[in-house]
Amino acid sequence: MLRTIFYYLKLGLMWLGLFALTKAYFLFVNLGMETQFLSNFIQVWRAGILLDLSMVGYLSVVPILGILLGKIMPRITPKSTLNLWLVYLAVFSSGYGFRRLLFLLLGTKNKP
C-alpha cells in the first residue's frame, strides 16, 4: 500500500512538472525569451499552483478510489479501474467542447 501512495505522489509531481513545462512554453511563445522570463515564469507559476494542484487531484481521484474499492471488493480489478479512469479522462477533457456546443445552441454568449 505504501508503494501505491509513493506512486501517486510521483505521478502528481509528474503532472506538476508537465504543467510547469506548458506554462514555460506558453510564456516563451507569447513573450519571447527576454531578460525577465524567469521572473515572469515564477510569478505565473505561483499564481497558478493552486489550480495545478486541484487539477492533479481531479486526475487522481478516480484511480485512487478504484484502488481503495479494489481492496474492499476483490471483484474490482486494476483493468476495470483503468477503464473507468480512461472514461473519466475522456469525459473530463471533453468539457471544453461540450461548453462550446452549449454556447452555440443556447446563444448565451457570442464567443465561447
Side-chain angles (χ1 to χ4, degrees):
M1 184 71 173
L2 195 59
R3 284 189 342 201
T4 305
I5 292 171
F6 283 130
Y7 170 76
Y8 279 107
L9 286 175
K10 288 190 292 187
L11 187 65
L13 289 174
M14 186 272 312
W15 280 115
L16 289 175
L18 180 67
F19 295 149
L21 187 65
T22 58
K23 286 177 185 177
Y25 176 74
F26 175 79
L27 285 174
F28 178 73
V29 167
N30 290 307
L31 298 179
M33 190 60 102
E34 58 184 39
T35 58
Q36 296 179 348
F37 179 79
L38 185 60
S39 66
N40 285 338
F41 174 74
I42 291 172
Q43 184 180 6
V44 167
W45 184 78
R46 285 178 59 202
I49 189 68
L50 293 178
L51 181 64
D52 292 346
L53 288 173
S54 66
M55 189 68 181
V56 168
Y58 293 146
L59 292 172
S60 301
V61 71
V62 171
I64 291 172
L65 286 177
I67 289 172
L68 291 175
L69 285 175
K71 298 290 182 186
I72 296 169
M73 296 185 286
R75 282 188 8 213
I76 298 176
T77 63
K79 185 176 180 177
S80 63
T81 301
L82 177 65
N83 290 338
L84 180 64
W85 186 76
L86 290 175
V87 168
Y88 173 73
L89 190 60
V91 169
F92 190 76
S93 63
S94 67
Y96 179 73
F98 184 69
R99 183 180 66 106
R100 284 183 61 95
L101 179 65
L102 281 180
F103 286 151
L104 287 173
L105 291 176
L106 300 176
T108 55
K109 284 188 176 180
N110 292 336
K111 295 181 182 178

